[in-house]
Amino acid sequence: MSDTPAVSVNHLTKVFKGSLGKGAFRAVHDVSLTVKPGEVYGLIGPNGSGKSTTMKVILGLLNATEGDTRIFGIPSTEVASRRSVGFLPENPYFYKHLNGRETLHFYGKLCGMTGDHLKSRAEEMLALTGLEDAATRRVGGFSKGMLQRLGLAQALIHEPQLLVLDEPTAGVDPSGSRIIRDLIIEFRSRGITVLVTSHLLEQMQEVCDRVGIMAHGRMVREGRLDELIAVENQTEMVLENASPDLLAKINALVKAEGGGTRLLRSGHPRTTLERLFLEATNEPKKP
Amino acid sequence: MSEATQSSAAVNVAPVRFSPRRVWTLAYATMTQLMRMKILPFLLLFCVLVAAMGFGFSTINPEQQLSQFKTMSLGVLQVFSIVFGIVATALLLPKDLDDRTLYTILSKPVPRFDYLLGKLLGVLMLIASGLVIIDAVLSLILWLQQSMLFDAAVSQLHSEKQDTPEAVAQMREIVARQGLTWNLHWAVWAIFLKAAVVTTVALLLSCIASSTLFTIVIAFCITIIGHGHAMIREFVLQPNLSSASVRIASFLLAAICPDLAQFDVVDSVANGEVIPWTAVYEMTGIAALYMTVYLFVTHLVFVEKEL
Ligand SMILES: Nc1ncnc2c1ncn2[C@@H]1O[C@H](COP(=O)(O)OP(=O)(O)OP(=O)(O)O)[C@@H](O)[C@H]1O
Ligand SMILES: [Mg+2]
């Protein structure tokens, strides 16, 4: 059982048909990925690279043009595959006439939850996402970050085994996004699988076990995060308060060493995932 | 276990079954959502209008006055309920799509059929509750009018010194036949059935196009054509039809549009004719059949829909 991938995407291609057969657009091109149970998988890529589209196919909201996707071994085309999944779409929105608590009750009931169990779970989720104060306020008046938190709360309401989060920190303030990051780490410790996209690479680097980088609808890099960002034949030195003099000396030393040793660059260090991201996604577009 | 799961395409998992409780959750949310769209004031306005109408007619004779009142109020009620059914349905689905509420709902273990049925039931429940209220108001007005008119007629007979027991009994019978009878409730039921069929058609259209304007316009066209169903059928069946394509086109039209004239009982109710039980059963059956077929087609369209 534990060998069954939490999510498997097999040679997925998604073409959006334009109106009247014109302007068909290939948003996802032959993408394969596997998320093992219990790991945090980060999907990153520039805007429009097909991350959200891939997620929607995984959740059965869109049909795959080619290839297939499965959740815990069950094809996404079957409703049963969504029994144990919590999904937070990008820019989530809810019935604006309900308040925060009623919204959670609504989604809990859709998952077949009832009575006291549902009530206590809803309160728990409100507390977890810091929405206690907004529990009796209409969703119509929620701010962007509050909607995002409510989206996370509804995704968690039925204690899913897999979480699919599309930019969970978009629009959330720094402390809120830190809380979400910590939550993801806690989910992993409880054995919950997470598939997440985000443009905050620093945070992704902190939480992800594995990442896939998408560009132009294709998967351009995939693997364990630590392996991907380790560059075996390069060494990075981070100095504090180094004087220009010292830097010049180091430079001279490197030059004197000769052979294969070269100083590639110096300057302020960047997040390594960020560097990888820019490298991978700026490669020339394949036909 | 894991090997079998991965290698075989058919995984043995219990499918998510249809759940009345889930449908109810969706229907209730739909109903409250629509109630927020300020529908109650309209309902009140309608009641006031009808009441004003009921007492505003000049007295020609008691029979005609009651009959006129019923024709008018039931006619307006029919138009109101159809307009409401179409417009509400046309708004709901595109709104859920635009707001991406549909994403969060359908990413839960919710079969798409449950969602559709929930939406339809929500609209129908609201129409039904509105009609129940109005039915009560109408009954009250009719009953008040009936006794008022009877008293007036009796006092007139009295002044003409013609108030023999037979004449009074006859007058009572005439007024009662046009007054409050079960017929009124059956007429309201027929109004509900027609609105329900039209609402289901609107749901189908809205699934095909997910455009509010398209749904409203086409649903009204279909409603109008549906009332002339008999005419189309006659046209199709006439032997000397000029071209086959016209015949096929009208045949398709007849097949697509529901025969809404089946539910027109307002006239006979206004005439004080008794609607037999069998007619009520038949009407209900026809409506159920139409709705089942339309809902089935809607489901076929919606299951394949890209969100
Ligand atoms: N319903 C649709 N119809 C047509 N094209 C679409 C549709 N949905 C997405 N696309 C296109 O597919 C491409 C991928 O979109 P997607 O939303 O998956 O990007 P993304 O990687 O999530 O980007 P972002 O980081 O901005 O969220 C985009 O070019 C987008 O325009
Ligand atoms: Mg996206």
Side-chain angles (χ1 to χ4, degrees):
Chain A
M1 181 68 202
S2 62
D3 285 353
T4 313
V7 178
S8 62
V9 175
N10 268 312
H11 301 286
L12 172 68
T13 295
K14 175 68 197 172
V15 178
F16 287 110
K17 292 185 198 72
S19 51
L20 304 173
K22 275 192 293 185
F25 182 78
R26 192 176 292 259
V28 177
H29 196 140
D30 195 25
V31 164
S32 298
L33 66 90
T34 310
V35 183
K36 298 197 191 81
E39 78 178 355
V40 177
Y41 189 104
L43 203 54
I44 60 181
N47 295 135
S49 54
K51 306 179 297 290
S52 301
T53 306
T54 307
M55 285 186 160
K56 283 179 201 161
V57 176
I58 291 172
L59 285 151
L61 297 169
L62 293 174
N63 300 325
T65 309
E66 268 165 52
D68 70 310
T69 60
R70 284 161 188 264
I71 296 175
F72 293 116
I74 310 170
S76 301
T77 45
E78 282 178 40
V79 181
S81 69
R82 291 184 275 288
R83 269 224 183 85
S84 203
V85 187
F87 176 47
L88 168 68
E90 53 186 345
N91 308 319
Y93 204 78
F94 307 97
Y95 288 133
K96 54 166 157 272
H97 65 281
L98 300 178
N99 65 31
R101 183 175 287 126
E102 287 165 348
T103 303
L104 291 186
H105 287 174
F106 172 68
Y107 284 100
K109 282 180 195 158
L110 289 185
C111 300
M113 299 167 76
T114 49
D116 290 341
H117 174 54
L118 172 58
K119 286 207 183 91
S120 63
R121 181 77 189 160
E123 295 312 309
E124 218 178 293
M125 288 305 106
L126 286 171
L128 190 74
T129 49
L131 282 176
E132 296 109 319
D133 296 339
T136 54
R137 281 170 56 189
R138 302 245 164 272
V139 170
F142 273 26
S143 73
K144 190 166 187 283
M146 286 162 77
L147 286 171
Q148 201 77 26
R149 288 161 191 252
L150 187 61
L152 189 64
Q154 66 77 27
L156 289 167
I157 189 85
H158 57 307
E159 304 182 54
Q161 285 306 301
L162 169 70
L163 274 175
V164 180
L165 310 175
D166 200 348
E167 298 187 30
T169 50
V172 178
D173 56 43
S175 81
S177 88
R178 182 97 125 262
I179 293 173
I180 291 177
R181 181 203 63 185
D182 293 343
L183 274 177
I184 293 177
I185 293 173
E186 193 199 319
F187 295 147
R188 177 174 51 193
S189 72
R190 284 200 267 150
I192 297 173
T193 316
V194 182
L195 173 60
V196 58
T197 71
S198 174
H199 293 296
L200 297 182
L201 298 182
E202 221 168 315
Q203 286 198 353
M204 292 291 268
Q205 192 172 350
E206 288 173 53
V207 299
C208 293
D209 298 307
R210 288 201 306 143
V211 290
I213 304 183
M214 289 182 74
H216 312 299
R218 292 173 193 268
M219 189 66 91
V220 288
R221 290 276 198 292
E222 204 213 358
R224 290 198 59 81
L225 182 68
D226 41 15
E227 285 166 16
L228 275 182
I229 59 181
V231 184
E232 297 296 341
N233 60 351
Q234 291 183 10
T235 312
E236 194 166 51
M237 254 191 332
V238 181
L239 307 175
E240 203 172 39
N241 303 327
S243 67
D245 251 11
L246 176 63
L247 291 180
K249 273 187 213 155
I250 295 176
N251 231 337
L253 266 177
V254 172
K255 279 214 182 92
E257 174 78 18
T261 316
R262 280 185 308 140
L263 182 66
L264 287 179
R265 69 185 149 245
S266 69
H268 302 293
R270 270 191 296 181
T271 351
T272 40
L273 184 58
E274 187 179 338
R275 197 187 295 156
L276 177 72
F277 176 93
L278 293 176
E279 225 173 76
T281 55
N282 282 332
E283 278 163 7
K285 188 176 173 177
K286 286 171 210 162
Chain B
M1 163 72 195
S2 66
E3 285 226 304
T5 320
Q6 270 172 314
S7 57
S8 72
V11 185
N12 276 327
V13 275
V16 175
R17 275 186 232 293
F18 172 79
S19 145
R21 193 199 295 267
R22 190 163 41 220
V23 173
W24 170 253
T25 304
L26 286 160
Y28 187 77
T30 305
M31 212 168 72
T32 47
Q33 186 187 8
L34 287 171
M35 299 247 283
R36 297 276 162 184
M37 295 180 179
K38 310 268 183 296
I39 281 158
L40 253 69
F42 276 105
L43 207 70
L44 276 177
L45 188 74
F46 177 81
C47 290
V48 171
L49 265 178
V50 167
M53 229 160 55
F55 295 105
F57 281 123
S58 59
T59 317
I60 315 152
N61 68 50
E63 206 181 334
Q64 268 185 14
Q65 187 173 351
L66 287 172
S67 155
Q68 237 170 22
F69 169 67
K70 283 191 288 189
T71 317
M72 289 284 283
S73 54
L74 291 177
V76 174
L77 196 56
Q78 179 74 81
V79 173
F80 257 72
S81 52
I82 286 182
V83 169
F84 177 79
I86 290 178
V87 174
T89 314
L91 285 174
L92 283 175
L93 211 78
K95 192 156 176 24
D96 274 9
L97 255 173
D98 284 350
D99 285 353
R100 297 171 303 276
T101 352
L102 209 49
Y103 289 167
T104 37
I105 292 175
L106 292 181
S107 62
K108 299 279 181 226
V110 175
R112 292 195 177 190
F113 181 73
D114 290 24
Y115 172 80
L116 278 182
L117 195 60
K119 286 280 141 185
L120 182 62
L121 276 186
V123 178
L124 293 188
M125 265 158 39
L126 202 60
I127 295 179
S129 9
L131 287 179
V132 166
I133 295 171
I134 290 174
D135 183 75
V137 173
L138 277 183
S139 301
L140 183 71
I141 295 174
L142 213 51
W143 182 76
L144 285 176
Q145 253 194 344
Q146 181 183 348
S147 40
M148 262 167 47
L149 286 172
F150 177 68
D151 289 347
V154 168
S155 63
Q156 196 181 353
L157 285 178
H158 184 73
S159 65
E160 289 167 8
K161 302 252 186 317
Q162 291 183 332
D163 54 340
T164 56
E166 298 87 63
V168 171
Q170 197 191 353
M171 182 56 70
R172 185 190 295 281
E173 198 202 324
I174 289 173
V175 174
R177 198 151 56 87
Q178 281 295 349
L180 178 59
T181 61
W182 268 100
N183 270 8
L184 177 74
H185 307 309
W186 291 141
V188 174
W189 176 241
I191 286 174
F192 173 73
L193 290 179
K194 197 195 269 188
V197 171
V198 173
T199 303
T200 320
V201 172
L203 188 69
L204 170 59
L205 291 170
S206 140
C207 274
I208 293 174
S210 43
S211 141
T212 305
L213 195 64
F214 172 87
T215 306
I216 292 179
V217 171
I218 303 296
F220 276 119
C221 290
I222 289 186
T223 307
I224 292 164
I225 295 170
H227 279 96
H229 211 271
M231 255 157 49
I232 306 176
R233 274 182 317 217
E234 265 169 37
F235 181 71
V236 173
L237 293 179
Q238 75 188 16
N240 52 351
L241 201 60
S242 52
S243 83
S245 59
V246 172
R247 188 192 292 263
I248 290 169
S250 359
F251 180 78
L252 281 177
L253 211 56
I256 293 169
C257 300
D259 183 0
L260 295 174
Q262 296 277 352
F263 307 108
D264 283 335
V265 292
V266 174
D267 282 345
S268 47
V269 170
N271 290 336
E273 289 162 25
V274 178
I275 303 177
W277 277 93
T278 46
V280 176
Y281 285 144
E282 201 177 311
M283 233 162 42
T284 312
I286 291 171
L289 197 67
Y290 271 130
M291 288 171 70
T292 312
V293 172
Y294 284 121
L295 195 60
F296 180 69
V297 178
T298 309
H299 177 61
L300 292 185
V301 174
F302 192 57
V303 155
E304 287 302 316
K305 197 172 173 65
E306 303 255 332
L307 302 174

